[in-house]
Amino acid sequence: MPTPIITLDHVTRTFSVKRQTITAVDDVNLSIREGEIICLVGESGCGKTTTGKMIAGVLPASAGRILYLGADISKLTGTERKKFRLGVQMIHQDPYASLNPAHTISAIIAAPLRHHGFTQGETQTQQRVRKLLETVDLTPPDDFLDKYPHQLSGGQRQRVSVARALTVAPSFLVADEAVSMVDVSIRISLLNMLSKLKDAMGLSVLFITHDLALAKYFAWEGRIGVMYLGRLVELSPARWLVEHPQHPYTQVLLSAIPEADPEATRHKKRIELRSMDVPSLLRLPTGCSFHPRCPQFLGEVCEQVTPALVESDGAMVACHRVTRPAPRATEL
Amino acid sequence: MQPILSIQNLSIEYRARRGRVRAIRNVSFDVQRGEAVALIGESGSGKTTLGLGIVQLLPGTARVTQGRAIYRRSRDGAPSEIDTLQLKGRALREFRWKECAMVFQSALNALNPVLRISDQFADTAQAHGYLQGRALHARAEELLKLVRLDPDRVWRSFPHELSGGMRQRVLIALSLLLEPQLLILDEPTTALDILTQRNIMDVLKDLRHKLDFSLLFISHDLALAAELTDRVATVYAGKIVELASVETTFKEPAHPYTIGLINAVPTLKGTKEDLSSIPGSPPDLVEMPAGCKFHPRCPLVESRCKEEEPELVEVKPGHQTACWNWRSAREALQTHKVQG
Ligand SMILES: Nc1ncnc2c1ncn2[C@@H]1O[C@H](COP(=O)(O)OP(=O)(O)OP(=O)(O)O)[C@@H](O)[C@H]1O
Ligand SMILES: Nc1ncnc2c1ncn2[C@@H]1O[C@H](COP(=O)(O)OP(=O)(O)OP(=O)(O)O)[C@@H](O)[C@H]1O
Ligand SMILES: [Mg+2]
Ligand SMILES: [Mg+2]
């Protein structure tokens, strides 16, 4: 098997908050192949962005290792480090904060092109800037070149962020809610564009989103990972996850999604949680941290033992209900 | 029965350095009593502007250039008509909370950060000479429970102590304090995750059932409109281009733009081939194209579309669309997609 482009090996990230330690990402293992698209979904605060930032080298892991093409990113130096820096690009969640407000769109995109020598001379740089704007559907490019970020809508800014990430021809892209503000009509063409880059250049993408239907579409041949309070609770081929969710949390998420079909969405069977409250990371429940809300709560084992992510029916699942045989009727 | 709200030939503009931004152009539609109407459309199409116009909360650079917004009051005996665009002073203040409440798009910042939730309720109540003290507390408690919050926990909290979804629900509860007959919700669940969104949707369905108010629901999320509303108005470049029951909008849309929007929404059951995007981007509202404003992006464009702007015409009773090609659009676009 070829070396994965990114490997997370027991990766944990903690923060100290109010003199206590919270674990935002807890013992995550994940390998991403070249040309693979992985979507990460889960409730707000479950650690998606933190995971993405660690992969992009923006945030160090507190424990465990992250490998880029087999090499520990915390130990890279010199040209190897530069290769990693350019090879892995991150599109940040908040397009308002991530674009320099004092620079025009043209300057924002041209800077990395010049700096890293991707273009020679001004004419070539300008040509490339236009091409990149067209790639992300900001057309005609002339309308955008001299604008400042505050003159663009949220969706347009997100597209500028995508264009900027593509300037250095990365091989891995961490896209954090990268199309959340883009109109539905344009979103698909942007994702199709990334899919084409994947096919043409072997680009891999870690795509962070709340939208499971979008995740299924984008990661069609890839995988979807579901996170809950810092842990990966299900990891499965995209379509399989949506059609055969195994973790009770994944099932709840899928049942909660409204659908663009009045008949279907009004009659959809929703799974109720035992509690709506997301536990605080400061006071994590013992055992399986989903147990206080889990509609399939088994009892003691869920309260005491943290389930490991293990293979089950074509997926990786961390749930006692799934990994232990169902109790027979006589035992109930 | 007469509609609770009738928007008639409404146009709204912004003055900007580049010129006049024609954000709402000659829009007319009704909201029936107890009905939920969705306004859907791309970013910048004018949805929020329309909502702000109705409650007269447009910024100073905006101007209503024509039209009326007739609201039909039903409380206290005889029904009476008011044009909300003409209201001033006390009448306007009364209209705003007691008749019509709006929860804004940037709602997460809409609560005063230094006031406890209890004080936010007290302020609003006091400004309108509504309940005070115990009675207010009791009413607020009831409302907080309706939006599925724990009153004991929320009542004495500051906004920053609550999650985004909780704040959003506090705002919905607060907007219902003076028992408005019409509620305008602008993107009430964007930026919230799936489970919080689900919770708010369930709360809204429940509230409509229990309190029977009318709802103008602004969203670019088609699935939310499908779930919550009775009728859908599709807005493009400041104009309603299609108006139909929610079933018709999703099952038999006639306007190429509505068809395009629906084809661009991924579904859990759908396949990759079911999806397509609308090429191009929404027009500049300062320098709009001639003719139909959608023509530069429309796969069915003909010479007439570039010259004359179509007005809403009846497709069948209760279904209107503004397209020269509506008779053939659905069929043509179905085959178009297969080829594309
Ligand atoms: N720099 C930091 N200091 C302290 N806590 C942090 C920091 N960054 C993140 N956290 C906490 O770590 C947890 C995970 O945050 P993260 O941003 O990764 O979540 P997320 O899954 O991306 O959520 P969202 O969907 O809201 O973007 C949260 O509880 C957050 O408050
Ligand atoms: N204060 C303003 N001055 C000038 N133009 C404005 C102002 N506010 C809004 N506009 C413009 O008016 C048009 C309609 O804006 P509006 O906010 O109503 O759109 P929307 O449909 O609500 O979009 P979104 O889905 O992004 O919220 C846009 O082109 C916008 O740029
Ligand atoms: Mg995040
Ligand atoms: Mg808006």
Side-chain angles (χ1 to χ4, degrees):
Chain A
M1 227 172 63
T3 317
I5 183 155
I6 289 286
T7 305
L8 284 90
D9 177 19
H10 296 283
V11 170
T12 292
R13 171 72 210 199
T14 57
F15 292 106
S16 53
V17 176
K18 298 181 190 160
R19 293 207 215 112
Q20 294 186 60
T21 303
I22 61 161
T23 307
V25 173
D26 188 7
D27 195 26
V28 168
N29 291 301
L30 177 68
S31 283
I32 305 172
R33 297 184 303 273
E34 189 182 297
E36 187 179 26
I37 294 180
I38 291 213
C39 293
L40 215 48
V41 302
E43 266 162 298
S44 187
C46 69
K48 305 181 296 292
T49 297
T50 307
T51 305
K53 282 185 176 167
M54 287 191 287
I55 292 175
V58 184
L59 199 68
S62 310
R65 297 183 309 155
I66 296 173
L67 312 178
Y68 175 62
L69 296 168
D72 187 335
I73 61 168
S74 66
K75 303 214 163 73
L76 296 174
T77 51
T79 50
E80 292 303 310
R81 177 149 187 83
K82 185 165 180 215
K83 265 195 207 153
F84 163 69
R85 279 284 184 205
L86 292 181
V88 180
Q89 290 291 315
M90 177 152 186
I91 300 165
H92 289 275
Q93 184 163 6
D94 181 1
Y96 293 83
S98 65
L99 299 174
N100 187 329
H103 291 174
T104 63
I105 303 310
S106 158
I108 287 170
I109 298 177
L113 288 172
R114 289 195 204 104
H115 184 91
H116 298 292
F118 280 91
T119 51
Q120 261 74 50
E122 218 24 46
T123 342
Q124 208 189 11
T125 304
Q126 286 312 318
Q127 265 174 4
R128 186 87 189 107
V129 169
R130 275 164 211 272
K131 189 86 190 59
L132 281 162
L133 288 177
E134 279 171 10
T135 310
V136 295
D137 269 328
L138 290 174
T139 53
D142 286 318
D143 283 1
F144 296 93
L145 290 171
D146 299 326
K147 288 210 163 113
Y148 290 88
H150 71 88
Q151 293 172 312
L152 303 184
S153 72
Q156 289 172 333
R157 278 183 237 203
Q158 285 187 324
R159 285 181 274 161
V160 172
S161 302
V162 175
R164 183 180 57 178
L166 294 175
T167 51
V168 296
S171 52
F172 193 100
L173 204 59
V174 176
D176 193 356
E177 304 273 1
V179 296
S180 57
M181 300 184 197
V182 179
D183 278 314
V184 282
S185 55
I186 299 169
R187 199 179 279 178
I188 296 306
S189 78
L190 205 58
L191 293 184
N192 287 348
M193 181 271 294
L194 291 177
S195 283
K196 276 193 204 123
L197 290 177
K198 173 197 83 132
D199 294 338
M201 297 152 53
L203 176 74
S204 315
V205 186
L206 179 78
F207 184 75
I208 298 172
T209 179
H210 284 312
D211 184 341
L212 262 159
L214 192 69
K216 171 189 162 188
Y217 171 79
F218 186 46
W220 197 251
E221 274 129 22
R223 288 176 291 167
I224 297 177
V226 180
M227 284 186 84
Y228 187 73
L229 293 178
R231 295 182 72 90
L232 209 47
V233 296
E234 183 157 4
L235 178 66
S236 165
R239 280 166 282 167
W240 188 242
L241 182 116
V242 170
E243 283 153 25
H244 295 272
Q246 296 183 56
H247 198 287
Y249 180 62
T250 314
Q251 293 169 356
V252 168
L253 287 182
L254 284 165
S255 87
I257 296 174
E259 310 225 26
D261 175 334
E263 188 80 21
T265 198
R266 287 165 202 224
H267 295 108
K268 191 166 165 174
K269 204 172 151 283
R270 318 264 181 217
I271 305 172
E272 294 285 329
L273 285 167
R274 293 202 298 148
S275 147
M276 264 311 292
D277 290 336
V278 186
S280 155
L281 288 174
L282 286 169
R283 270 167 273 108
L284 267 191
T286 55
C288 171
S289 52
F290 187 52
H291 87 253
R293 303 173 77 195
C294 183
Q296 298 187 40
F297 175 63
L298 286 174
E300 217 166 81
V301 60
C302 302
E303 288 168 344
Q304 291 172 2
V305 186
T306 307
L309 189 70
V310 294
E311 186 150 356
S312 161
D313 197 14
M316 303 288 286
V317 188
C319 171
H320 295 301
R321 164 74 79 183
V322 168
T323 46
R324 66 162 41 187
R328 270 188 255 130
T330 50
E331 292 171 35
L332 288 174
Chain B
M1 204 157 55
Q2 288 208 305
I4 185 162
L5 181 72
S6 299
I7 305 292
Q8 299 169 350
N9 307 101
L10 183 64
S11 295
I12 301 174
E13 294 179 355
Y14 293 99
R15 277 183 314 259
R17 211 173 304 150
R18 294 183 312 124
R20 295 184 307 157
V21 182
R22 301 174 58 202
I24 288 293
R25 300 183 299 124
N26 199 19
V27 163
S28 302
F29 70 97
D30 291 335
V31 179
Q32 304 296 332
R33 230 166 262 285
E35 187 187 37
V37 176
L39 292 179
I40 62 169
E42 280 164 299
S43 182
S45 55
K47 306 180 297 295
T48 297
T49 304
L50 182 58
L52 293 173
I54 296 169
V55 287
Q56 281 200 46
L57 282 174
L58 289 163
T61 53
R63 202 162 62 90
V64 174
T65 54
Q66 66 164 37
R68 308 199 299 165
I70 301 300
Y71 177 85
R72 294 187 184 81
R73 212 191 278 264
S74 68
R75 272 191 255 216
D76 316 325
S80 61
E81 282 194 6
I82 42 176
D83 181 353
T84 71
L85 305 178
Q86 304 302 330
L87 291 176
K88 287 194 182 66
R90 200 171 137 212
L92 176 61
R93 273 202 311 279
E94 275 192 23
F95 169 73
R96 258 189 216 149
W97 286 82
K98 288 191 189 157
E99 301 292 343
C100 171
M102 181 162 177
V103 177
F104 296 99
Q105 192 163 10
S106 50
L108 292 183
N109 313 316
L111 290 167
N112 188 335
V114 300
L115 289 187
R116 292 181 195 275
I117 303 305
S118 52
D119 296 328
Q120 320 249 1
F121 274 85
D123 268 18
T124 306
Q126 196 171 23
H128 294 89
Y130 190 69
L131 304 174
Q132 310 243 327
R134 279 254 186 80
L136 172 68
H137 189 175
R139 167 86 180 134
E141 193 160 76
E142 192 184 317
L143 286 169
L144 290 170
K145 276 193 195 141
L146 270 180
V147 297
R148 302 187 195 172
L149 287 168
D150 174 1
D152 293 336
R153 171 160 166 213
V154 170
W155 190 240
R156 303 297 297 159
S157 301
F158 287 101
H160 71 88
E161 294 169 336
L162 306 175
S163 75
M166 292 166 88
R167 266 180 280 168
Q168 193 68 279
R169 280 175 287 161
V170 167
L171 276 164
I172 293 172
L174 188 59
S175 72
L176 294 171
L177 182 62
L178 304 182
E179 298 165 58
Q181 302 292 298
L182 174 66
L183 192 62
I184 304 177
L185 295 178
D186 192 358
E187 309 275 6
T189 67
T190 20
L192 300 178
D193 65 53
I194 308 170
L195 296 182
T196 315
Q197 170 179 294
R198 163 56 41 214
N199 186 239
I200 290 179
M201 288 298 284
D202 290 346
V203 163
L204 287 173
K205 285 200 277 190
D206 199 32
L207 286 176
R208 275 198 64 208
H209 191 70
K210 287 188 182 134
L211 304 180
D212 198 36
F213 48 80
S214 312
L215 180 64
L216 190 59
F217 184 78
I218 300 175
S219 180
H220 61 246
D221 190 332
L222 272 62
L224 298 181
E227 182 161 336
L228 191 65
T229 65
D230 306 310
R231 252 175 350 126
V232 179
T234 309
V235 183
Y236 191 79
K239 213 171 166 65
I240 292 181
V241 297
E242 184 149 22
L243 189 58
S245 73
V246 69
E247 291 82 16
T248 304
T249 302
F250 285 93
K251 294 282 191 292
E252 301 174 301
H255 196 286
Y257 177 61
T258 317
I259 297 171
L261 276 183
I262 291 168
N263 287 342
V265 180
T267 60
L268 287 173
K269 294 206 189 71
T271 70
K272 242 181 135 120
E273 290 68 38
D274 294 340
L275 279 186
S276 55
S277 65
I278 305 176
S281 32
D284 178 352
L285 298 185
V286 176
E287 285 172 77
M288 272 189 273
C292 171
K293 306 309 172 222
F294 186 58
H295 88 251
R297 302 170 73 188
C298 183
L300 304 178
V301 59
E302 291 171 357
S303 57
R304 184 179 192 184
C305 310
K306 299 180 187 168
E307 287 151 18
E308 262 182 277
E309 182 161 27
E311 293 300 327
L312 284 175
V313 293
E314 186 162 277
V315 172
K316 62 172 198 224
H319 181 186
Q320 296 171 296
T321 193
C323 170
W324 295 123
N325 281 319
W326 66 266
R327 277 171 211 281
S328 57
R330 226 155 64 79
E331 209 175 324
L333 287 172
Q334 231 57 36
T335 47
H336 181 85
K337 215 173 77 185
V338 173
Q339 289 159 4

